Amino acid sequence: MGDNPAMAAVEDTFGPLEKADLPGRIARILTDKIVSGAMKPGEHLPEAAVARALGVSRAPVREAARLLESSGLLVAHVNRGFFVRTITAEDLDDLFELRCAVECAAAERLSRHLDEATLTALSASLQTMDTLSRTGEVVAMIEEDMAFHRIVVAASGNRRFLSLFDQIAGEMRFGVAVIGRLYDDPCEIAATHRPLLEAITKGAGVREAFIYHIETARHHVVKLYRAIEES
């Protein structure tokens, strides 16, 4: 471990990575650090230190950083490197608006050809949310929340919808992670997804259910984020 305290801190945060791993895996590791709050908004990504801690060259770390720049989690500054994005309440408000448009269209499409495999996957995700709500694992709950919605979008069969959703999801997880919660009662996360599954299964009221669900989350998240900005 080096003498530089900042380098030492990075090495304590990250662990060695097998040589066979690709930039995509490094990107997932970095995403976990950002979403969990281990890397803060505005913080510089020390590429050399991360590469040394993971046991890889600097090149795949830079490639991973570019992937996260594309997904909106990092921003690049000329001659300064990559930094964790600082997201605003206005950014989140815009993201929720786009997310609502994409998911409503995807959910309606899915409801017209729902199959047993997708129904099983959505039911399992809902059960996982129920379990996590009792353990209070915030990051895991955020991930499962987004996983449920991704199943809906992916199963719609429209690849453009899925591409947009994946771009939105990283920033959305980051924003929710910053405030540390979506609802005051974690059990509400699972409860608010049941009407979505019921609407898709029945093939009726799908758009209305998704609009209500996403707009309710939008109100809570943006309100909490604005409170942080004003504090």
Side-chain angles (χ1 to χ4, degrees), residues 9-32:
V10 169
E11 291 179 10
D12 286 340
T13 300
F14 297 88
L17 197 63
E18 294 180 7
K19 302 295 183 183
D21 290 301
L22 301 173
R25 185 174 176 190
I26 298 174
R28 289 192 292 274
I29 291 171
L30 293 174
T31 297
D32 288 342

Side-chain angles (χ1 to χ4, degrees), residues 128-170:
T128 300
M129 275 188 268
D130 267 323
T131 301
L132 291 172
S133 70
R134 293 190 290 272
T135 64
E137 298 176 57
V138 175
V139 173
M141 281 192 288
I142 293 170
E143 290 297 326
E144 194 58 43
D145 182 339
M146 297 308 294
F148 178 96
H149 290 272
R150 193 181 192 278
I151 292 168
V152 171
V153 179
S156 75
N158 187 313
R159 290 177 295 175
R160 298 284 184 171
F161 287 163
L162 184 58
S163 177
L164 275 172
F165 179 85
D166 284 341
Q167 184 177 347
I168 294 166

Side-chain angles (χ1 to χ4, degrees), residues 84-170:
V84 179
R85 178 178 175 179
T86 300
I87 196 168
T88 67
E90 192 65 29
D91 290 330
L92 281 172
D93 200 44
D94 291 345
L95 284 168
F96 271 108
E97 185 174 5
L98 177 58
R99 178 183 169 185
C100 191
V102 170
E103 286 197 41
C104 284
E108 285 191 316
R109 203 169 192 264
L110 172 61
S111 70
R112 294 193 290 269
H113 60 260
L114 179 65
D115 57 35
E116 194 63 36
T118 302
L119 180 59
T120 298
L122 289 171
S123 298
S125 180
L126 190 58
Q127 182 59 50
T128 300
M129 275 188 268
D130 267 323
T131 301
L132 291 172
S133 70
R134 293 190 290 272
T135 64
E137 298 176 57
V138 175
V139 173
M141 281 192 288
I142 293 170
E143 290 297 326
E144 194 58 43
D145 182 339
M146 297 308 294
F148 178 96
H149 290 272
R150 193 181 192 278
I151 292 168
V152 171
V153 179
S156 75
N158 187 313
R159 290 177 295 175
R160 298 284 184 171
F161 287 163
L162 184 58
S163 177
L164 275 172
F165 179 85
D166 284 341
Q167 184 177 347
I168 294 166

Side-chain angles (χ1 to χ4, degrees), residues 49-62:
V50 170
R52 188 172 69 177
L54 295 177
V56 299
S57 69
R58 190 166 175 173
V61 175
R62 179 167 285 271

